[in-house]
Amino acid sequence: MAGAAVLLGLGSCAWLQETTWQDPEFRVLSSQLVGLTPTDARLETRFEVSNPNAFSIALGALDYQLSVNDAAVLDGRQDEGASLAAGAATEVMLPLRLDFAEAMELVSGLRGRESLEYRVDAGMTVNIPVAGQRRVPASISGEVPIPRLPSIRASNLRLDRLTLSSADLLLTLEVDNPNIFELVIDRFSYEFALNNQRVAGGDGRQRVRLQEQGRGLIELPLSISLTEVGRNLSQALIDGEPLDYGLSFETDLQTGLPEMGRFPFSAVEEGVVNLRR
Protein backbone atom coordinates (compact mmCIF):
# COMPACT_ATOMS: atom_id res chain seq x y z
CA MET A 1 0.00 0.00 0.00
CA ALA A 2 2.80 2.40 0.89
CA GLY A 3 4.51 1.66 -2.43
CA ALA A 4 1.27 2.22 -4.27
CA ALA A 5 0.82 5.61 -2.56
CA VAL A 6 4.32 6.63 -3.54
CA LEU A 7 3.72 5.56 -7.12
CA LEU A 8 0.42 7.46 -7.12
CA GLY A 9 2.14 10.61 -5.83
CA LEU A 10 4.90 10.28 -8.41
CA GLY A 11 2.33 9.75 -11.11
CA SER A 12 0.40 12.88 -10.06
CA CYS A 13 3.57 14.99 -10.04
CA ALA A 14 4.51 13.63 -13.46
CA TRP A 15 0.99 14.42 -14.72
CA LEU A 16 1.26 17.99 -13.38
CA GLN A 17 4.60 18.46 -15.12
CA GLU A 18 3.27 17.02 -18.39
CA THR A 19 0.38 19.48 -18.36
CA THR A 20 2.92 22.37 -18.24
CA TRP A 21 1.47 24.04 -15.18
CA GLN A 22 1.10 27.84 -15.42
CA ASP A 23 0.35 30.33 -12.66
CA PRO A 24 -3.18 31.73 -12.81
CA GLU A 25 -3.38 35.35 -13.91
CA PHE A 26 -4.79 37.82 -11.42
CA ARG A 27 -5.20 41.41 -12.61
CA VAL A 28 -7.11 44.57 -11.78
CA LEU A 29 -9.88 45.50 -14.19
CA SER A 30 -10.88 48.77 -12.51
CA SER A 31 -11.03 50.63 -9.23
CA GLN A 32 -13.57 53.39 -8.96
CA LEU A 33 -15.32 55.66 -6.53
CA VAL A 34 -19.01 54.66 -6.44
CA GLY A 35 -20.24 56.70 -3.46
CA LEU A 36 -19.14 59.79 -1.56
CA THR A 37 -20.45 61.66 1.48
CA PRO A 38 -18.84 64.19 3.83
CA THR A 39 -18.03 61.26 6.15
CA ASP A 40 -16.94 58.38 3.91
CA ALA A 41 -16.09 57.09 0.45
CA ARG A 42 -17.17 53.78 -1.10
CA LEU A 43 -14.82 52.11 -3.56
CA GLU A 44 -15.31 49.12 -5.84
CA THR A 45 -12.29 47.31 -7.23
CA ARG A 46 -12.87 44.62 -9.85
CA PHE A 47 -10.32 41.86 -10.47
CA GLU A 48 -10.14 39.11 -13.05
CA VAL A 49 -8.79 35.64 -12.33
CA SER A 50 -7.99 33.49 -15.36
CA ASN A 51 -6.89 29.85 -15.45
CA PRO A 52 -4.54 29.12 -18.37
CA ASN A 53 -4.20 25.44 -17.43
CA ALA A 54 -5.75 22.32 -18.92
CA PHE A 55 -7.36 21.43 -15.59
CA SER A 56 -9.66 23.25 -13.18
CA ILE A 57 -8.45 25.00 -10.04
CA ALA A 58 -10.26 26.02 -6.85
CA LEU A 59 -10.36 29.63 -5.74
CA GLY A 60 -9.67 30.19 -2.06
CA ALA A 61 -9.80 33.63 -0.43
CA LEU A 62 -9.15 37.15 -1.62
CA ASP A 63 -7.02 38.99 0.92
CA TYR A 64 -6.73 42.76 0.73
CA GLN A 65 -5.20 45.84 2.35
CA LEU A 66 -6.29 49.42 1.82
CA SER A 67 -3.62 52.05 2.39
CA VAL A 68 -3.95 55.82 2.51
CA ASN A 69 -0.84 57.87 1.85
CA ASP A 70 1.18 54.63 2.26
CA ALA A 71 -0.32 53.88 5.70
CA ALA A 72 -2.57 50.81 6.13
CA VAL A 73 -6.09 51.69 7.31
CA LEU A 74 -8.10 48.55 6.46
CA ASP A 75 -7.48 44.88 5.71
CA GLY A 76 -9.39 41.63 5.55
CA ARG A 77 -10.27 38.47 3.63
CA GLN A 78 -13.12 37.63 1.29
CA ASP A 79 -13.78 33.93 0.70
CA GLU A 80 -14.59 33.00 -2.89
CA GLY A 81 -15.04 29.21 -2.66
CA ALA A 82 -15.52 28.63 -6.39
CA SER A 83 -13.98 26.34 -8.99
CA LEU A 84 -12.43 27.84 -12.10
CA ALA A 85 -12.60 25.61 -15.15
CA ALA A 86 -9.66 25.02 -17.48
CA GLY A 87 -9.07 28.01 -19.74
CA ALA A 88 -11.81 30.04 -18.02
CA ALA A 89 -11.81 33.46 -16.35
CA THR A 90 -14.01 35.04 -13.71
CA GLU A 91 -14.45 38.47 -12.16
CA VAL A 92 -14.14 39.18 -8.45
CA MET A 93 -15.53 42.41 -6.99
CA LEU A 94 -14.13 43.92 -3.79
CA PRO A 95 -16.27 46.64 -2.12
CA LEU A 96 -14.49 48.88 0.39
CA ARG A 97 -15.67 51.69 2.65
CA LEU A 98 -13.19 54.37 3.66
CA ASP A 99 -14.18 56.33 6.77
CA PHE A 100 -12.54 59.77 6.64
CA ALA A 101 -12.53 60.31 10.42
CA GLU A 102 -10.88 56.92 11.04
CA ALA A 103 -8.33 57.57 8.29
CA MET A 104 -7.43 60.93 9.82
CA GLU A 105 -6.87 59.29 13.20
CA LEU A 106 -4.56 56.66 11.69
CA VAL A 107 -2.71 58.78 9.13
CA SER A 108 -1.02 62.05 9.97
CA GLY A 109 -1.20 65.05 7.66
CA LEU A 110 -4.69 64.43 6.23
CA ARG A 111 -6.55 67.23 7.98
CA GLY A 112 -7.19 70.14 5.69
CA ARG A 113 -6.37 68.08 2.61
CA GLU A 114 -8.58 68.34 -0.47
CA SER A 115 -8.00 64.71 -1.50
CA LEU A 116 -6.19 61.56 -0.43
CA GLU A 117 -4.23 58.93 -2.31
CA TYR A 118 -5.19 55.32 -1.75
CA ARG A 119 -3.75 51.95 -2.74
CA VAL A 120 -5.43 48.54 -2.81
CA ASP A 121 -3.06 45.56 -2.44
CA ALA A 122 -4.78 42.22 -2.92
CA GLY A 123 -3.93 38.57 -3.39
CA MET A 124 -5.97 35.63 -4.65
CA THR A 125 -5.28 32.19 -3.19
CA VAL A 126 -5.75 29.27 -5.61
CA ASN A 127 -5.69 25.56 -4.83
CA ILE A 128 -3.74 23.58 -7.41
CA PRO A 129 -4.08 19.80 -7.69
CA VAL A 130 -1.11 18.09 -6.01
CA ALA A 131 0.93 21.33 -5.80
CA GLY A 132 -1.29 22.89 -3.10
CA GLN A 133 -2.01 26.56 -2.48
CA ARG A 134 -0.53 29.48 -4.38
CA ARG A 135 -1.14 33.22 -3.92
CA VAL A 136 -1.15 35.56 -6.91
CA PRO A 137 -0.99 39.32 -6.12
CA ALA A 138 -2.34 42.49 -7.76
CA SER A 139 -2.52 46.15 -6.74
CA ILE A 140 -3.88 49.49 -7.90
CA SER A 141 -3.80 53.07 -6.64
CA GLY A 142 -6.07 56.08 -7.05
CA GLU A 143 -7.24 59.35 -5.55
CA VAL A 144 -10.41 60.32 -3.67
CA PRO A 145 -11.65 63.87 -2.95
CA ILE A 146 -12.39 64.69 0.69
CA PRO A 147 -15.67 66.64 0.85
CA ARG A 148 -15.61 69.68 3.11
CA LEU A 149 -18.58 71.69 4.30
CA PRO A 150 -18.91 75.26 3.04
CA SER A 151 -18.95 78.32 5.27
CA ILE A 152 -21.58 81.06 5.31
CA ARG A 153 -21.73 84.57 6.79
CA ALA A 154 -23.68 87.81 6.52
CA SER A 155 -21.36 89.94 4.39
CA ASN A 156 -23.56 92.97 3.77
CA LEU A 157 -26.76 94.61 5.03
CA ARG A 158 -28.05 97.52 2.97
CA LEU A 159 -30.80 99.90 4.06
CA ASP A 160 -32.95 100.59 1.01
CA ARG A 161 -35.90 102.42 2.60
CA LEU A 162 -36.63 103.83 6.03
CA THR A 163 -39.91 105.27 7.34
CA LEU A 164 -41.21 106.03 10.79
CA SER A 165 -42.78 102.56 10.98
CA SER A 166 -40.66 100.24 8.84
CA ALA A 167 -37.28 99.56 7.30
CA ASP A 168 -36.59 97.71 4.04
CA LEU A 169 -33.18 96.08 3.83
CA LEU A 170 -31.23 93.76 1.54
CA LEU A 171 -29.23 91.06 3.31
CA THR A 172 -26.35 89.45 1.42
CA LEU A 173 -25.09 86.05 2.55
CA GLU A 174 -21.65 84.97 1.34
CA VAL A 175 -21.05 81.23 0.89
CA ASP A 176 -17.52 79.86 0.41
CA ASN A 177 -16.94 76.46 -1.22
CA PRO A 178 -13.61 74.93 -0.08
CA ASN A 179 -13.98 71.84 -2.32
CA ILE A 180 -12.31 70.91 -5.59
CA PHE A 181 -15.76 70.29 -7.08
CA GLU A 182 -18.83 72.45 -7.67
CA LEU A 183 -21.68 72.88 -5.18
CA VAL A 184 -25.20 74.07 -6.00
CA ILE A 185 -27.82 75.61 -3.69
CA ASP A 186 -31.38 75.97 -4.93
CA ARG A 187 -33.64 75.75 -1.85
CA PHE A 188 -32.97 76.69 1.75
CA SER A 189 -34.53 77.76 5.03
CA TYR A 190 -33.16 80.41 7.35
CA GLU A 191 -33.68 82.48 10.48
CA PHE A 192 -32.04 85.88 10.91
CA ALA A 193 -31.73 88.05 14.02
CA LEU A 194 -30.33 91.53 14.65
CA ASN A 195 -29.21 92.58 18.13
CA ASN A 196 -30.74 89.37 19.52
CA GLN A 197 -34.16 90.00 17.94
CA ARG A 198 -35.55 87.81 15.18
CA VAL A 199 -36.31 89.97 12.17
CA ALA A 200 -36.75 87.46 9.31
CA GLY A 201 -37.00 83.79 8.45
CA GLY A 202 -38.63 81.22 6.26
CA ASP A 203 -37.96 79.27 3.09
CA GLY A 204 -36.08 80.64 0.12
CA ARG A 205 -35.46 79.57 -3.44
CA GLN A 206 -32.41 80.84 -5.31
CA ARG A 207 -30.10 78.88 -7.57
CA VAL A 208 -26.53 79.63 -6.55
CA ARG A 209 -23.62 77.83 -8.21
CA LEU A 210 -20.48 77.66 -6.11
CA GLN A 211 -17.58 76.92 -8.42
CA GLU A 212 -14.76 74.73 -7.10
CA GLN A 213 -13.00 76.68 -4.34
CA GLY A 214 -15.23 79.60 -5.28
CA ARG A 215 -17.75 81.90 -3.67
CA GLY A 216 -21.44 82.63 -4.14
CA LEU A 217 -23.94 85.20 -2.89
CA ILE A 218 -27.52 84.85 -1.67
CA GLU A 219 -29.55 88.07 -1.51
CA LEU A 220 -32.57 88.27 0.77
CA PRO A 221 -34.91 91.28 0.96
CA LEU A 222 -36.05 92.02 4.52
CA SER A 223 -38.91 94.21 5.70
CA ILE A 224 -38.81 95.09 9.39
CA SER A 225 -41.59 96.67 11.42
CA LEU A 226 -39.93 99.19 13.73
CA THR A 227 -42.87 99.08 16.11
CA GLU A 228 -42.33 95.35 16.65
CA VAL A 229 -38.56 95.22 17.13
CA GLY A 230 -38.38 97.82 19.87
CA ARG A 231 -36.66 101.15 20.40
CA ASN A 232 -33.04 99.98 20.68
CA LEU A 233 -32.93 98.17 17.33
CA SER A 234 -35.03 100.86 15.66
CA GLN A 235 -32.60 103.55 16.78
CA ALA A 236 -29.60 101.48 15.66
CA LEU A 237 -31.15 101.16 12.19
CA ILE A 238 -31.89 104.88 12.07
CA ASP A 239 -28.36 105.78 13.21
CA GLY A 240 -26.72 103.24 10.88
CA GLU A 241 -24.77 101.53 13.65
CA PRO A 242 -22.98 98.15 13.22
CA LEU A 243 -25.35 95.36 14.25
CA ASP A 244 -24.83 92.02 15.93
CA TYR A 245 -26.42 89.26 13.88
CA GLY A 246 -27.38 85.63 14.32
CA LEU A 247 -27.96 83.36 11.36
CA SER A 248 -29.38 79.85 11.13
CA PHE A 249 -29.21 78.29 7.65
CA GLU A 250 -30.20 74.86 6.27
CA THR A 251 -30.12 73.39 2.78
CA ASP A 252 -29.47 70.26 0.74
CA LEU A 253 -26.36 70.77 -1.35
CA GLN A 254 -25.97 69.34 -4.83
CA THR A 255 -22.53 68.52 -6.18
CA GLY A 256 -20.89 68.25 -9.55
CA LEU A 257 -19.81 64.68 -8.78
CA PRO A 258 -21.84 61.76 -10.17
CA GLU A 259 -20.79 59.63 -7.15
CA MET A 260 -22.19 62.12 -4.67
CA GLY A 261 -25.86 63.04 -4.48
CA ARG A 262 -27.45 65.73 -2.36
CA PHE A 263 -26.25 66.03 1.20
CA PRO A 264 -27.54 68.19 4.07
CA PHE A 265 -25.75 71.30 5.24
CA SER A 266 -26.67 73.42 8.23
CA ALA A 267 -24.89 76.26 9.97
CA VAL A 268 -25.41 78.60 12.89
CA GLU A 269 -23.32 81.76 12.69
CA GLU A 270 -22.93 84.93 14.75
CA GLY A 271 -21.05 88.10 13.94
CA VAL A 272 -21.23 91.82 13.29
CA VAL A 273 -22.52 93.37 10.06
CA ASN A 274 -22.23 97.01 9.03
CA LEU A 275 -25.38 98.77 7.88
CA ARG A 276 -24.91 100.46 4.52
CA ARG A 277 -27.16 102.99 2.86
Side-chain angles (χ1 to χ4, degrees):
M1 290 295 292
V6 171
L7 289 174
L8 181 60
L10 291 174
S12 299
C13 291
W15 170 80
L16 191 59
Q17 290 174 354
E18 288 174 1
T19 57
T20 60
W21 154 256
Q22 300 178 62
D23 283 334
E25 295 178 1
F26 183 54
R27 66 187 183 97
V28 178
L29 295 176
S30 66
S31 184
Q32 60 183 354
L33 178 67
V34 296
L36 188 65
T37 73
T39 59
D40 62 16
R42 287 182 290 113
L43 304 166
E44 282 185 358
T45 303
R46 294 190 305 118
F47 302 91
E48 182 183 73
V49 191
S50 57
N51 178 15
N53 296 287
F55 50 87
S56 64
I57 59 176
L59 300 182
L62 172 69
D63 63 85
Y64 59 87
Q65 178 177 281
L66 175 64
S67 300
V68 170
N69 290 24
D70 296 324
V73 297
L74 183 67
D75 58 38
R77 290 170 61 87
Q78 178 176 293
D79 291 325
E80 296 303 317
S83 179
L84 190 56
T90 188
E91 287 189 13
V92 178
M93 199 269 285
L94 174 65
L96 295 171
R97 176 181 173 272
L98 175 60
D99 186 286
F100 293 132
E102 291 179 1
M104 289 177 185
E105 288 182 4
L106 295 171
V107 185
S108 61
L110 290 186
R111 296 190 183 279
R113 293 278 299 272
E114 297 166 353
S115 61
L116 55 82
E117 297 175 353
Y118 74 89
R119 180 181 176 88
V120 178
D121 293 295
M124 173 61 70
T125 301
V126 295
N127 295 304
I128 305 163
V130 181
Q133 287 190 344
R134 298 282 179 87
R135 179 184 182 273
V136 282
S139 62
I140 191 172
S141 58
E143 190 173 14
V144 171
I146 304 176
R148 297 164 63 190
L149 295 176
S151 61
I152 186 169
R153 69 183 185 92
S155 63
N156 191 38
L157 185 63
R158 189 181 75 213
L159 180 62
D160 287 339
R161 179 174 174 271
L162 180 65
T163 69
L164 293 176
S165 60
S166 66
D168 294 334
L169 305 103
L170 183 67
L171 170 65
T172 301
L173 302 179
E174 186 176 276
V175 189
D176 287 313
N177 176 18
N179 295 287
I180 56 176
F181 50 85
E182 183 183 74
L183 295 176
V184 177
I185 298 173
D186 54 13
R187 297 173 183 268
F188 56 87
S189 60
Y190 74 101
E191 297 286 335
F192 188 68
L194 289 171
N195 288 0
N196 296 317
Q197 295 191 59
R198 181 188 182 279
V199 295
D203 297 324
R205 183 169 185 173
Q206 285 184 41
R207 188 167 182 83
V208 181
R209 303 181 74 92
L210 307 173
Q211 299 296 330
E212 57 183 65
Q213 297 183 328
R215 178 175 298 167
L217 301 178
I218 298 173
E219 294 188 331
L220 300 171
L222 310 180
S223 184
I224 299 176
S225 171
L226 299 183
T227 59
E228 294 179 3
V229 298
R231 178 178 297 178
N232 290 338
L233 180 54
S234 297
Q235 194 62 48
L237 291 170
I238 294 170
D239 295 340
E241 297 177 359
L243 300 165
D244 294 327
Y245 77 84
L247 171 67
S248 174
F249 186 88
E250 293 186 1
T251 187
D252 284 335
L253 292 168
Q254 300 179 57
T255 75
L257 299 177
E259 306 87 2
M260 190 175 189
R262 291 176 176 265
F263 66 95
F265 166 66
S266 62
V268 176
E269 296 292 331
E270 294 181 346
V272 176
V273 63
N274 292 319
L275 184 64
R276 305 183 186 276
R277 297 178 183 270

